[in-house]
Amino acid sequence: MILTVENINVYYGNLLALRDVTLQVGKGEIVSLIGANGAGKSTALKAISGILAPRAGRIVFDGGEIAGLPPHRIARMGIAHVPEGRGVFANLTVVENLEMGAYTRRAGREIRESIEKVFTRFPRLKERSGQLGGPLSGGEQQMLAIGRAMVARPALMLLDEPSMGLSPFLVGEIFQMIEEVNREGVAILLVEQNASMALSVAQRAYVLEAGNIVLQGSTAELQNEPGVRAAYLGG
Amino acid sequence: MLEVKGLTKRFGGIMALCGVDLRLREGELAGLIGPNGSGKTTVFNVVTGIYRPDDGSVAIEGEPLVGLAPHKIQRMGIARTFQNIRLFRNLTVLDNVRAAYHPRVPYGPVSALCRTGRFVEGEKEIREKTMDLLALFSLQVRKDELARNLPYGDQRRLEIARALASEPKVLLLDEPAAGMNPSEVKALMEFLLEIRRRFRLTILLIEHRMRLAMGICERLIVMDFGTVIAEGTPSEIRNDRRVIEAYLGRGTHPDS
Amino acid sequence: MQQVVNGLQIGFVYALIALGYTMVYGIVRLINFAHGDVFMVGAFIGLYAIERCRLPLFAVFLLAVAGAALLAVVIDKIAYRPLRNAPRIASLITAIGVSLFLEYFTALRQVFGPNYYSFPRPFAVSSREVCGVELTNLQAIIFLTTLCCLALLYYVVHRTRMGRAMRAVSHDQVTAGLMGVNVNLVISFTFGLGAALAGVGGVLYGIAYPQVNTFMGVMPGLKAFTAAVLGGIGSIPGAVLGALIMGQSETLTAAYLSSTYRDGIAFVILIAVLLLRPTGILGVPRTEKV
Amino acid sequence: MTGVQRISALARFAAPFAAAAAAGYLLEATAVVNPYWVQIFQLACITSVSALGLNIIYGFTGLFSLGHAAFYGIGAYAAACLMKFGGGESHLFFLAALAAGAACAAFVALLVGLPVLRLTSDYLGIATLGFGIIMKVLFDNADSFLPLMGGARGMTGIARMTSVPWTVVILGIVLVSARNLVRSGYGRALVSIREDEIAAGTAGIDTYRYKLAGFVAGCGLAGLAGGMYAHLYTFLHPSNFDFFKSVDVLVIVVLGGLGNISGTLVASFGWIFLLEGLRVLLPPEYIEFRWVLIPALLIVTMLLRPQGLFGFREFRFFREEAES
């Protein structure tokens, strides 16, 4: 297991947002986390990447305890979190955004190579390499956000709602990209509202409801679970 | 009821709306659908006076309202909610709704200053009305909680309650079903039908998920790239070639 | 024309101070009221370095820069960092507290002392005519030093890894953290960088207007801050532009109207500009997402 | 309500004020307490009135103002000038002068607010700061157009009219009125603007008008306080109304807690008595440490209680209680 989350409790102020959440991601695996809005999906990712500190429980990444560390230290250990809403730096150019992804890396030449690799995968970003990130379209921003995470060469990528606000066509493209990234050996923890999409790419999944994990299993099992079908797959 | 003609709005160089026409019939529950960025929320913002359009007209029951301040438009009978819930976060649930009663307080400032009988009566009346409304939304037990401490679903409901406090004729709901699972959506739908009947409302709601909008609304208005590309009943829309092309994209099914 | 050159002199000094305000505001949205007092400390370090240690001018600048930067970093750590997640007004009040503390603490007899002290001139002031305008060597030094500082600043902000991180943090702290950026470090660096420029400004100010006391930072601080807002707070070129306008308006008012109204005119301009362009001359107009 | 009930209600309402005024009168007349402290007490009452004004502006309506002292100054100069013109020692005229001072400040606030209140958050703060500095420059140069005001030399010879009963009664009336207004639909309108101006607009609240009303009312209170101040110290100087005085009031309001009447009241008294108390408590050779200790204390307080000393809690009197 590359990531093990054990019984974490996370609060917003006094509001309990996650209760006793336990989940695991294996090396090279895609795991989905599905659930309604406000169920705590994003909160789980934030706790893993250090934006929120859990009040109880353990988070072990690559053999080391990371719960409570600041985000920049966790990022340096090899977790890349693509936040909800993409988090593109609107005041930086596309290239500078990608360079920010490589912030934790020092070797200049390898960084250039990684950036070139992103450009070959997303030619549209290359066309816009000198433009600011702000005016990009939603799809381009999502590509940039994922590309930026790739430049960091993480062992684990956390993706928060990559399909949000995208046309169905782009959603398909983004999910293809996610599978490609995964084929290079990057483990992925995917949070999605679009449950059918999320289940189609993942090997395993967890269902969150009101801060608790209520179901887990292989995606094949979950897709046939009547409760999941009713609540998330629209019958 | 509500009539929008040739509405145009630019932001910098971007054409957010170009010549939008739409019409709401009295008492209907219509849906404004379209992919993200197609201009749905901008229509709401222009209709409610938050943005001023570059061109075009909006009228409610024949009364033009372009150029009026948001509060004047509200008093003409249009109330709304926001996509990214905008409650008065540090006020109690009770005060969130009572603030919306303010434009029709039955006492003047001097009366409030001196706490006259009329003030006490007026406050009592507002409180009773507020409590009735909260009861309808099952929020009465939470009346003294701060809005920011409510769970997500309650916040959405409170926002609708606040919009209803002004006794509007037209209610504009911006993605009321965001983040709900199908069974919650069903409950919301029944609830909307109920308040429409009770308050004799005309409702226009925004939803970007096609299937969901079809399940809720009697009539759909489809937008893409700042224009209305189709309108009609769900079954008409389902078979509209332009909608299928522009909205559903190439070869994907209408589930997202 | 002569007045314009004189206006540039004070304008450039204001620019050095205004940059600190604008950068700090850009990154943590804080009006750092203590910045004017950091400028004052820079001037006093300059005073001691010249008078007591008889250091060469270059070393004087280095010392003032280091002292001011260190002070700003310490202030940030003690008074602002604990309040990063508190309402913004809380750190504004501590900024005011720090400002008062620095003014009165340094005014103690045991520290700098409460009086006006004359600032030693490290060189004799001479002037020569350039294109029909009297230009003193003092003014030349001010212009050159400031321009060097600006060039250096541009390089740091736009060409270095740290500068990129600064811009990223100013846009979105949380996401910058996810990129592996140590946000607190970047913020400290920004405070230090702004203070370093103010340190240079303090020494230049001392040389140009050779009298210092511990309250000398108040008015230049307010004006530099106003300049930053005038130009568009958060914008680096805006701060420089605002400061130059401020300098001109001040010298021109003093020359042609009355020096008693000098302090007022600048603010009349400020209010007029804000009413026409609510985010300043070079500020980006913000449309709130609804 | 019958006439008798009305009168008895009025009597019940007025009794505490009468008692406080009488106590104040005795306090002053019998001189059991050092007159210096009595004067400080009055200053604290006056500061409370002014701070309440800023609390309405900033704490309740959410308008960031850094120029409050300018309105305090306008009220002070206006009332003092009027009193000098024709008031003599008449208490009735004094009241009229106070009212006129408040009205003057409110009127200027209206003129300033009309354009400036279109700005938001920090920009509004900076514009009001600018206005404050402009007013200070005008006060400094006032002798050139109205010699009576004395300009940078200060204005002297103002009658000493402010007394303990006056300050106590005025503060009391201001507190009750502020509570009544704030705990009514009008107060809810102001607070909703603070919370979310766009949502307030779509909820039917005329945001511009209420922002203006809140600003004018708050500045009016500053003017009222200024008039009392002028007739307490009988001497006015432009430096009494500079940027630092604006900051003083802001500190009080934030320390007490935004939108919290009790907090403002306690913080005003605490601040004034701390300022003056240190003057007495510190040994003379350390008196200059006063302004080293105060900011240090301020920083520590803010670090420990960033939401103000009181946060949202109010004394019972200031809480909602109009209905059962």
Side-chain angles (χ1 to χ4, degrees), chain B residues 202-237:
Chain B
T202 304
I203 300 178
L204 178 64
L205 65 84
I206 289 180
E207 179 54 61
H208 68 272
R209 289 165 295 182
M210 181 75 142
R211 172 183 282 191
L212 217 158
M214 287 181 166
I216 299 178
C217 306
E218 294 153 358
R219 200 164 64 87
L220 293 173
I221 300 155
V222 189
M223 286 187 70
D224 196 25
F225 295 113
T227 52
V228 172
I229 57 168
E231 53 180 302
T233 62
S235 61
E236 284 164 9
I237 294 297

Side-chain angles (χ1 to χ4, degrees), chain B residues 98 107 119-127, chain D residues 185 188 320:
Chain B
R98 284 203 294 184
Y107 53 83
F119 167 80
V120 177
E121 286 296 302
E123 281 289 284
K124 210 174 134 199
E125 185 194 323
I126 290 175
R127 194 192 165 92
Chain D
R188 289 193 291 269
E320 181 117 23

